[in-house]
């Protein structure tokens, strides 16, 4: 059982996470808990309007594949984790 394979960080503990059953919840978790930044700050860093980030988090829109790659690099997780909640490692 590779619990720590859910994220690239060695101290990541899947069992302590809230329900992260969709990409929006995972983006919100990483933004608020891991990075501790506001919607506006994240929007500035990604060149988006804050309402776009909010739409991702609430499931009203999804980021492009290019943006998902950038998000995974920014958050330090795999694209598989962002997309599916699992990692192929």
């Amino acid at each position: 059982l590779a619990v720590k394979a859910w994220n690239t960080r060695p101290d990541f503990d899947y069992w302590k996470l809230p329900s992260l059953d969709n990409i929006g919840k995972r983006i919100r978790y990483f933004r608020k808990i891991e990075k501790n930044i506001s919607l506006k700050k994240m929007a500035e860093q990604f060149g988006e309007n804050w309402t776009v980030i909010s739409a991702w988090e609430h499931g009203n829109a999804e980021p492009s594949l290019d943006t998902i790659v950038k998000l995974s690099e920014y958050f330090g997780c795999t694209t598989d984790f962002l997309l599916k909640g699992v990692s192929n490692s």
Side-chain angles (χ1 to χ4, degrees):
L1 180 65
V3 172
K4 293 191 186 249
W6 290 62
N7 188 285
T8 57
R9 291 188 8 228
D11 62 336
F12 187 80
D13 187 355
Y14 170 75
W15 303 111
K16 293 182 180 178
L17 292 177
S19 173
L20 300 178
D21 58 359
N22 65 52
I23 188 171
K25 288 181 182 179
R26 290 185 285 276
I27 291 170
R28 183 177 176 142
Y29 169 80
F30 280 113
R31 178 183 62 80
K32 290 185 76 169
I33 306 300
E34 296 291 321
K35 292 289 187 177
N36 191 29
I37 60 171
S38 68
L39 279 170
K40 290 183 181 183
K41 178 81 169 174
M42 185 171 162
E44 289 171 10
Q45 293 177 349
F46 281 87
E48 298 282 359
N49 188 296
W50 71 268
T51 59
V52 172
I53 309 290
S54 179
W56 296 343
E57 292 182 355
H58 289 93
N60 297 324
E62 290 188 357
S64 69
L65 291 177
D66 289 339
T67 302
I68 289 169
V69 170
K70 291 175 186 173
L71 287 167
S72 71
E73 291 169 353
Y74 179 72
F75 291 138
C77 67
T78 64
T79 54
D80 284 341
F81 185 80
L82 275 181
L83 289 167
K84 302 181 289 185
V86 297
S87 178
N88 279 343
S89 345

